[in-house]
Amino acid sequence: RGKKAFIAGVADDQGFGWAIAKALAEAGAEISLGVWVPALNIFESSLRRGKFDESRKLSNGSLMEFAHVYPMDAVFDTPEDVPEDIRSNKRYAAATGFTVSECAANVKADTGNIDILVHSLANGPEVTKPLLETSRKGYLAAMSASSYSFVAMLQRFGPLMNKGGASISLTYIASERIIPGYGGGMSSAKAALESDTRVLAFEAGRKYGIRVNTISAGPLGSRAAKAIGFIDDMIRYSYANAPVQKELEAREVGNVAAFLLSPLASAVTGSVIYADNGLNAMGLAV
Ligand code: NAI
């Protein structure tokens, strides 16, 4: 039986979410996506118009298919949580069922139980501000979109995961080392995400028999990363200083995800796994 996967946080073919989808599709999984509501129209029209076809090519020559594409906004748990200004926003008005609980219910109705849950999303409205200048609102927004969103997803999708299933999120080393420029509470959000990975590995492990890990990825020039503003410097720094001297490809992170989400990693849970060309192990820039 092919495994069923739900991946939250894909809106183009440039980021880690897409690469994870592809690695899972190569391994024979059925893929459904949760796409952030404001990005959904452009994603679906690009998909329809063939803009992603080159990136959809699998090694057997076929194109990666998505079983279902759902609108999603991971900062809302239930319809009651959606404020009026969002509900009436023109990018949201046409979307239905985008809160985490509704999304899980729709996946359950369309697909039944799933085996794989992927959280590849983050958002920090004040990411370009140093932590010392971050507002309470900005900090809490970063935590809500980037950390609590994973708790919310496991709460709502956990009950529809098959025993032996697995989940992952994506994190960044700014949680444990000082990365000037990764601001707005995003470093705090990644620290929470990593701590939650351990606690949720225990709780969801006992409750649902599933595994929970996070991948600490090296720098990639995704859309989210470009919004931070210094991604090219990070890529250059990594190239110059990491033990493995090459640019990180999203595909390499996709492969680590496929491993962690497969039975090959059946004894791995509660872990932060680095996929960063080894940069985390360095103690001194060279
Ligand atoms: P990306 O832009 O491809 O993915 C981020 C996704 O989050 C986008 O598709 C966006 O639409 C979605 N999103 C934002 N707010 C949302 C919300 N409220 N509800 C649902 N979806 C929402 O960028 P990337 O870099 O692939 O990011 C994926 C993950 O990888 C993130 O957790 C990021 O922090 C992490 N990461 C990225 C690194 C990099 O250098 N690009 C390095 C280490 C970790």
mmCIF file with all atom_site columns, all heavy atoms in Angstrom, residues 178-192:
data_model
loop_
_atom_site.group_PDB
_atom_site.id
_atom_site.type_symbol
_atom_site.label_atom_id
_atom_site.label_alt_id
_atom_site.label_comp_id
_atom_site.label_asym_id
_atom_site.label_entity_id
_atom_site.label_seq_id
_atom_site.pdbx_PDB_ins_code
_atom_site.Cartn_x
_atom_site.Cartn_y
_atom_site.Cartn_z
_atom_site.occupancy
_atom_site.B_iso_or_equiv
_atom_site.pdbx_formal_charge
_atom_site.auth_seq_id
_atom_site.auth_comp_id
_atom_site.auth_asym_id
_atom_site.auth_atom_id
_atom_site.pdbx_PDB_model_num
ATOM 1  N N   . ILE A 1 178 ? 23.757 32.330 17.707 1.00 0.00 ? 178 ILE A N   1
ATOM 2  C CA  . ILE A 1 178 ? 23.367 33.690 17.326 1.00 0.00 ? 178 ILE A CA  1
ATOM 3  C C   . ILE A 1 178 ? 23.545 33.883 15.823 1.00 0.00 ? 178 ILE A C   1
ATOM 4  O O   . ILE A 1 178 ? 24.664 33.752 15.300 1.00 0.00 ? 178 ILE A O   1
ATOM 5  C CB  . ILE A 1 178 ? 24.234 34.726 18.078 1.00 0.00 ? 178 ILE A CB  1
ATOM 6  C CG1 . ILE A 1 178 ? 24.094 34.527 19.594 1.00 0.00 ? 178 ILE A CG1 1
ATOM 7  C CG2 . ILE A 1 178 ? 23.833 36.144 17.659 1.00 0.00 ? 178 ILE A CG2 1
ATOM 8  C CD1 . ILE A 1 178 ? 25.230 35.169 20.392 1.00 0.00 ? 178 ILE A CD1 1
ATOM 9  N N   . ILE A 1 179 ? 22.453 34.151 15.122 1.00 0.00 ? 179 ILE A N   1
ATOM 10 C CA  . ILE A 1 179 ? 22.517 34.483 13.690 1.00 0.00 ? 179 ILE A CA  1
ATOM 11 C C   . ILE A 1 179 ? 21.974 35.910 13.550 1.00 0.00 ? 179 ILE A C   1
ATOM 12 O O   . ILE A 1 179 ? 20.756 36.105 13.424 1.00 0.00 ? 179 ILE A O   1
ATOM 13 C CB  . ILE A 1 179 ? 21.675 33.508 12.836 1.00 0.00 ? 179 ILE A CB  1
ATOM 14 C CG1 . ILE A 1 179 ? 22.022 32.039 13.113 1.00 0.00 ? 179 ILE A CG1 1
ATOM 15 C CG2 . ILE A 1 179 ? 21.824 33.852 11.345 1.00 0.00 ? 179 ILE A CG2 1
ATOM 16 C CD1 . ILE A 1 179 ? 23.334 31.550 12.531 1.00 0.00 ? 179 ILE A CD1 1
ATOM 17 N N   . PRO A 1 180 ? 22.856 36.899 13.599 1.00 0.00 ? 180 PRO A N   1
ATOM 18 C CA  . PRO A 1 180 ? 22.376 38.290 13.481 1.00 0.00 ? 180 PRO A CA  1
ATOM 19 C C   . PRO A 1 180 ? 21.585 38.448 12.179 1.00 0.00 ? 180 PRO A C   1
ATOM 20 O O   . PRO A 1 180 ? 22.015 37.955 11.144 1.00 0.00 ? 180 PRO A O   1
ATOM 21 C CB  . PRO A 1 180 ? 23.675 39.105 13.448 1.00 0.00 ? 180 PRO A CB  1
ATOM 22 C CG  . PRO A 1 180 ? 24.701 38.225 14.096 1.00 0.00 ? 180 PRO A CG  1
ATOM 23 C CD  . PRO A 1 180 ? 24.329 36.820 13.713 1.00 0.00 ? 180 PRO A CD  1
ATOM 24 N N   . GLY A 1 181 ? 20.423 39.080 12.264 1.00 0.00 ? 181 GLY A N   1
ATOM 25 C CA  . GLY A 1 181 ? 19.603 39.283 11.070 1.00 0.00 ? 181 GLY A CA  1
ATOM 26 C C   . GLY A 1 181 ? 18.389 38.376 11.022 1.00 0.00 ? 181 GLY A C   1
ATOM 27 O O   . GLY A 1 181 ? 17.445 38.654 10.302 1.00 0.00 ? 181 GLY A O   1
ATOM 28 N N   . TYR A 1 182 ? 18.405 37.269 11.768 1.00 0.00 ? 182 TYR A N   1
ATOM 29 C CA  . TYR A 1 182 ? 17.243 36.371 11.797 1.00 0.00 ? 182 TYR A CA  1
ATOM 30 C C   . TYR A 1 182 ? 16.392 36.793 12.983 1.00 0.00 ? 182 TYR A C   1
ATOM 31 O O   . TYR A 1 182 ? 16.397 36.183 14.039 1.00 0.00 ? 182 TYR A O   1
ATOM 32 C CB  . TYR A 1 182 ? 17.728 34.924 11.935 1.00 0.00 ? 182 TYR A CB  1
ATOM 33 C CG  . TYR A 1 182 ? 16.692 33.863 11.610 1.00 0.00 ? 182 TYR A CG  1
ATOM 34 C CD1 . TYR A 1 182 ? 16.338 33.591 10.283 1.00 0.00 ? 182 TYR A CD1 1
ATOM 35 C CD2 . TYR A 1 182 ? 16.100 33.102 12.611 1.00 0.00 ? 182 TYR A CD2 1
ATOM 36 C CE1 . TYR A 1 182 ? 15.420 32.606 9.984  1.00 0.00 ? 182 TYR A CE1 1
ATOM 37 C CE2 . TYR A 1 182 ? 15.178 32.110 12.309 1.00 0.00 ? 182 TYR A CE2 1
ATOM 38 C CZ  . TYR A 1 182 ? 14.850 31.873 10.993 1.00 0.00 ? 182 TYR A CZ  1
ATOM 39 O OH  . TYR A 1 182 ? 13.937 30.873 10.701 1.00 0.00 ? 182 TYR A OH  1
ATOM 40 N N   . GLY A 1 183 ? 15.665 37.874 12.785 1.00 0.00 ? 183 GLY A N   1
ATOM 41 C CA  . GLY A 1 183 ? 15.025 38.553 13.915 1.00 0.00 ? 183 GLY A CA  1
ATOM 42 C C   . GLY A 1 183 ? 13.530 38.353 14.017 1.00 0.00 ? 183 GLY A C   1
ATOM 43 O O   . GLY A 1 183 ? 12.975 37.379 13.523 1.00 0.00 ? 183 GLY A O   1
ATOM 44 N N   . GLY A 1 184 ? 12.887 39.308 14.683 1.00 0.00 ? 184 GLY A N   1
ATOM 45 C CA  . GLY A 1 184 ? 11.431 39.312 14.795 1.00 0.00 ? 184 GLY A CA  1
ATOM 46 C C   . GLY A 1 184 ? 10.858 38.201 15.652 1.00 0.00 ? 184 GLY A C   1
ATOM 47 O O   . GLY A 1 184 ? 9.666  37.925 15.596 1.00 0.00 ? 184 GLY A O   1
ATOM 48 N N   . GLY A 1 185 ? 11.731 37.549 16.437 1.00 0.00 ? 185 GLY A N   1
ATOM 49 C CA  . GLY A 1 185 ? 11.266 36.404 17.226 1.00 0.00 ? 185 GLY A CA  1
ATOM 50 C C   . GLY A 1 185 ? 11.330 35.101 16.447 1.00 0.00 ? 185 GLY A C   1
ATOM 51 O O   . GLY A 1 185 ? 10.901 34.058 16.946 1.00 0.00 ? 185 GLY A O   1
ATOM 52 N N   . MET A 1 186 ? 11.883 35.131 15.231 1.00 0.00 ? 186 MET A N   1
ATOM 53 C CA  . MET A 1 186 ? 11.994 33.883 14.462 1.00 0.00 ? 186 MET A CA  1
ATOM 54 C C   . MET A 1 186 ? 12.992 32.916 15.105 1.00 0.00 ? 186 MET A C   1
ATOM 55 O O   . MET A 1 186 ? 12.800 31.704 15.070 1.00 0.00 ? 186 MET A O   1
ATOM 56 C CB  . MET A 1 186 ? 12.386 34.175 13.006 1.00 0.00 ? 186 MET A CB  1
ATOM 57 C CG  . MET A 1 186 ? 11.223 34.588 12.123 1.00 0.00 ? 186 MET A CG  1
ATOM 58 S SD  . MET A 1 186 ? 9.843  33.407 12.151 1.00 0.00 ? 186 MET A SD  1
ATOM 59 C CE  . MET A 1 186 ? 10.646 31.906 11.573 1.00 0.00 ? 186 MET A CE  1
ATOM 60 N N   . SER A 1 187 ? 14.075 33.466 15.715 1.00 0.00 ? 187 SER A N   1
ATOM 61 C CA  . SER A 1 187 ? 15.018 32.570 16.404 1.00 0.00 ? 187 SER A CA  1
ATOM 62 C C   . SER A 1 187 ? 14.322 31.908 17.594 1.00 0.00 ? 187 SER A C   1
ATOM 63 O O   . SER A 1 187 ? 14.487 30.709 17.844 1.00 0.00 ? 187 SER A O   1
ATOM 64 C CB  . SER A 1 187 ? 16.262 33.341 16.856 1.00 0.00 ? 187 SER A CB  1
ATOM 65 O OG  . SER A 1 187 ? 15.902 34.425 17.699 1.00 0.00 ? 187 SER A OG  1
ATOM 66 N N   . SER A 1 188 ? 13.495 32.696 18.286 1.00 0.00 ? 188 SER A N   1
ATOM 67 C CA  . SER A 1 188 ? 12.724 32.169 19.418 1.00 0.00 ? 188 SER A CA  1
ATOM 68 C C   . SER A 1 188 ? 11.742 31.100 18.941 1.00 0.00 ? 188 SER A C   1
ATOM 69 O O   . SER A 1 188 ? 11.565 30.062 19.585 1.00 0.00 ? 188 SER A O   1
ATOM 70 C CB  . SER A 1 188 ? 11.944 33.300 20.088 1.00 0.00 ? 188 SER A CB  1
ATOM 71 O OG  . SER A 1 188 ? 12.605 34.533 19.950 1.00 0.00 ? 188 SER A OG  1
ATOM 72 N N   . ALA A 1 189 ? 11.102 31.374 17.811 1.00 0.00 ? 189 ALA A N   1
ATOM 73 C CA  . ALA A 1 189 ? 10.101 30.437 17.273 1.00 0.00 ? 189 ALA A CA  1
ATOM 74 C C   . ALA A 1 189 ? 10.756 29.107 16.916 1.00 0.00 ? 189 ALA A C   1
ATOM 75 O O   . ALA A 1 189 ? 10.189 28.034 17.158 1.00 0.00 ? 189 ALA A O   1
ATOM 76 C CB  . ALA A 1 189 ? 9.411  31.046 16.053 1.00 0.00 ? 189 ALA A CB  1
ATOM 77 N N   . LYS A 1 190 ? 11.956 29.155 16.350 1.00 0.00 ? 190 LYS A N   1
ATOM 78 C CA  . LYS A 1 190 ? 12.636 27.902 15.997 1.00 0.00 ? 190 LYS A CA  1
ATOM 79 C C   . LYS A 1 190 ? 13.087 27.157 17.258 1.00 0.00 ? 190 LYS A C   1
ATOM 80 O O   . LYS A 1 190 ? 13.068 25.922 17.283 1.00 0.00 ? 190 LYS A O   1
ATOM 81 C CB  . LYS A 1 190 ? 13.824 28.178 15.064 1.00 0.00 ? 190 LYS A CB  1
ATOM 82 C CG  . LYS A 1 190 ? 13.421 28.656 13.676 1.00 0.00 ? 190 LYS A CG  1
ATOM 83 C CD  . LYS A 1 190 ? 12.444 27.717 12.983 1.00 0.00 ? 190 LYS A CD  1
ATOM 84 C CE  . LYS A 1 190 ? 12.296 28.018 11.494 1.00 0.00 ? 190 LYS A CE  1
ATOM 85 N NZ  . LYS A 1 190 ? 11.187 27.244 10.876 1.00 0.00 ? 190 LYS A NZ  1
ATOM 86 N N   . ALA A 1 191 ? 13.479 27.900 18.305 1.00 0.00 ? 191 ALA A N   1
ATOM 87 C CA  . ALA A 1 191 ? 13.840 27.239 19.572 1.00 0.00 ? 191 ALA A CA  1
ATOM 88 C C   . ALA A 1 191 ? 12.616 26.516 20.140 1.00 0.00 ? 191 ALA A C   1
ATOM 89 O O   . ALA A 1 191 ? 12.713 25.373 20.608 1.00 0.00 ? 191 ALA A O   1
ATOM 90 C CB  . ALA A 1 191 ? 14.370 28.264 20.568 1.00 0.00 ? 191 ALA A CB  1
ATOM 91 N N   . ALA A 1 192 ? 11.460 27.167 20.080 1.00 0.00 ? 192 ALA A N   1
ATOM 92 C CA  . ALA A 1 192 ? 10.222 26.529 20.567 1.00 0.00 ? 192 ALA A CA  1
ATOM 93 C C   . ALA A 1 192 ? 9.900  25.293 19.732 1.00 0.00 ? 192 ALA A C   1
ATOM 94 O O   . ALA A 1 192 ? 9.558  24.232 20.265 1.00 0.00 ? 192 ALA A O   1
ATOM 95 C CB  . ALA A 1 192 ? 9.069  27.528 20.515 1.00 0.00 ? 192 ALA A CB  1
#
